[in-house]
Amino acid sequence: MTDENINSVPSAPAGMIYIPGGAFAMGSERYYPEEAPVRNVRVDPFWIDITPVTNAEFASFVAATGHVTFAETAPDPKDYPGMQPELAYAGSLVFMPPPAKVDLRVVQWWEFGIGANWREPLGPGSSTEGLEHHPVVHIAWSDAEAYAAWAGKSLPTEAEWEFAARGGLEGKEFAWGDELAPEGKMLANYWQGEFPHANTLLDGWERTSPVGSFPPNGYGLYDMIGNVWELTADWYSQPRGNVKSCCIPSNPRGGTREESINQADSHFPRKVLKGGSHLCADNYCRRYRPAARHPHSIDTTTSHVGFRCVKRIAAET
């Protein structure tokens, strides 16, 4: 699966792991249509953060730069036709489980939390005390980009992220093999039970978990599956068709900004999310897999989306 000798790994920046690059079969044809077709692609070597960016790490960035996140900024009614100015509150979407079974075709488990943001993830009165090593959430794509630039890094492309998540395994459903919970062992933070009202908590966590709480994949990376969805650099579009083996594309990118806009839903462009989250369940959103992908509007922040960064080898030479 890789092109380079792993014994010649260059020294990695602190908190990052070297990914040797190579060709792999990207996507899946077994679950959701947006993951197909399976296509052969190639990525160059790169470094990637061992874990998602944590609350503590994001706090250091904010302390150094004074950055104010998207969720901490009241929306401009001009960007949202029909919005009354007096309703333009800063806030973010917070998962709130309904008390009983609901129709999964109608989303009834998100509430707009006025005042919810990365510092107060459940809204005013909550805090990240005790959550310093949990992934930072309520982060917009612009916030992740700002953090990456400050850290001298970048957001990963979808192809880079998926290659890293597979951990050296070829064609497997999960980051560890083809069985979700081998011998009943929980290998990631996802939803056990019937979503969205009955979480059995077999993995020990109701919401996010401290990064590194579950075993790493074959590359030594933690939380590539579950815990929080992770933002990538690519605009969302349907994957292109497969290519002949003699013409494997290198470092493929997503669609255009314009292609990513779903006119029926929103006029805001969308980025690709990868990896699934603690809200992915067997009966809903089975996207706790390397091939899984989901569109995410750049004007939206939630309690289950975070990010990690990469540093490309070419940029260092």
Side-chain angles (χ1 to χ4, degrees):
M1 184 173 180
T2 60
D3 290 335
E4 299 195 4
N5 188 333
I6 198 69
N7 294 322
S8 62
V9 174
S11 298
M16 306 189 85
I17 280 181
Y18 175 77
I19 304 300
F24 75 109
M26 184 175 178
S28 172
E29 296 174 356
R30 301 179 187 177
Y31 288 87
Y32 298 102
E34 70 270 13
E35 300 168 13
V38 174
R39 60 270 185 208
N40 294 320
V41 303
R42 184 185 303 275
V43 294
D44 291 337
F46 58 97
W47 289 292
I48 188 168
D49 289 342
I50 297 173
T51 72
V53 174
T54 64
N55 283 311
E57 291 169 328
F58 198 79
S60 295
F61 156 65
V62 170
T65 64
H67 180 83
V68 178
T69 63
F70 186 90
E72 296 173 281
T73 307
D76 187 342
K78 294 179 182 178
D79 294 330
Y80 301 89
M83 172 183 278
Q84 299 178 16
E86 62 271 21
L87 298 180
Y89 296 108
S92 187
L93 293 174
V94 179
F95 172 73
M96 292 297 179
K101 186 174 182 178
V102 297
D103 185 346
L104 295 178
R105 295 171 298 179
V106 182
V107 177
Q108 304 173 55
W109 45 86
W110 290 107
E111 293 184 7
F112 180 76
I114 296 174
N117 55 62
W118 77 273
R119 301 176 193 269
E120 299 175 289
L122 298 181
S126 64
S127 77
T128 56
E129 184 176 356
L131 304 178
E132 291 84 358
H133 299 298
H134 287 234
V136 65
V137 292
H138 298 300
I139 296 300
W141 178 73
S142 57
D143 302 319
E145 281 276 282
Y147 176 96
W150 170 76
K153 303 176 183 180
S154 305
L155 293 183
T157 66
E158 181 178 1
E160 288 171 336
W161 194 101
E162 185 169 328
F163 184 91
R166 291 183 178 276
L169 299 178
E170 185 69 50
K172 299 298 182 180
E173 290 301 315
F174 306 104
W176 47 82
D178 284 328
E179 190 175 353
L180 177 59
E183 299 182 350
K185 186 176 182 181
M186 297 292 102
L187 299 179
N189 180 357
Y190 59 93
W191 186 286
Q192 297 89 49
E194 189 171 2
F195 181 87
H197 68 286
N199 191 342
T200 63
L201 303 179
L202 291 179
D203 60 12
W205 300 97
E206 182 177 7
R207 294 182 182 267
T208 60
S209 50
V211 299
S213 295
F214 297 89
N217 72 0
Y219 286 142
L221 301 171
Y222 293 92
D223 296 305
M224 295 300 287
I225 300 301
N227 209 356
V228 293
W229 281 102
E230 296 186 16
L231 287 156
T232 72
D234 284 358
W235 297 112
Y236 182 86
S237 69
Q238 186 62 29
R240 306 297 191 256
N242 208 350
V243 296
K244 296 180 180 180
S245 60
C246 65
C247 308
I248 297 176
S250 294
N251 306 311
R253 298 301 306 269
T256 65
R257 179 185 177 98
E258 290 70 28
E259 288 175 326
S260 77
I261 298 173
N262 181 358
Q263 298 289 352
D265 178 58
S266 170
H267 293 287
F268 284 89
R270 301 174 297 169
K271 289 290 183 175
V272 176
L273 294 179
K274 296 289 283 184
S277 80
H278 58 278
L279 301 182
C280 287
D282 186 60
N283 72 309
Y284 182 81
C285 190
R286 299 180 69 187
R287 292 185 171 89
Y288 32 54
R289 298 169 290 106
R293 58 200 304 267
H294 200 64
H296 188 70
S297 177
I298 63 171
D299 78 320
T300 300
T301 59
T302 75
S303 60
H304 73 331
V305 172
F307 70 103
R308 78 178 73 209
C309 301
V310 299
K311 199 173 178 69
R312 298 187 178 94
I313 306 298
E316 300 298 305
T317 59

